[in-house]
Amino acid sequence: TRIDASLVALLLYLHPVLVVLGALATGREVPSRRTWIALGAASTGGVLVLAGGGIADLDGIGVGMAIGAAVAYATYILCAEPYPE
């Protein structure tokens, strides 16, 4: 009820960025140039979504809850994936 469901859905799709950052932080993935380019493009897309929605009209709590859901989903994915040996 705080922000549009379409914006929530788009913000939830930030979870791939969070999964890759988590994989890099835990050493599960070796950073490459392609990885950094993809992270930059996805992050830019997230910023454009927020800017396109009119930043002044956004409810900070609603945006925070949507990003929190993306963080929770990324955490679930990282915890569910077996750690490589």
Side-chain angles (χ1 to χ4, degrees):
T1 60
R2 293 187 170 271
I3 58 176
D4 290 336
S6 59
L7 181 58
V8 172
L10 289 172
L11 288 173
L12 187 60
Y13 283 111
L14 290 176
H15 78 272
V17 172
L18 300 173
V19 169
V20 171
L21 290 174
L24 290 171
T26 59
R28 294 182 183 192
E29 185 175 324
V30 178
S32 67
R33 183 173 179 209
R34 288 178 71 175
T35 302
W36 292 116
I37 290 171
L39 284 174
S43 299
T44 301
V47 169
L48 289 175
V49 165
L50 287 174
I55 293 177
D57 298 334
L58 292 178
D59 180 10
I61 294 174
V63 171
M65 289 175 14
I67 293 173
V71 169
Y73 189 43
T75 303
Y76 166 75
I77 291 171
L78 288 168
C79 290
E81 179 70 24
Y83 199 83
E85 295 179 20

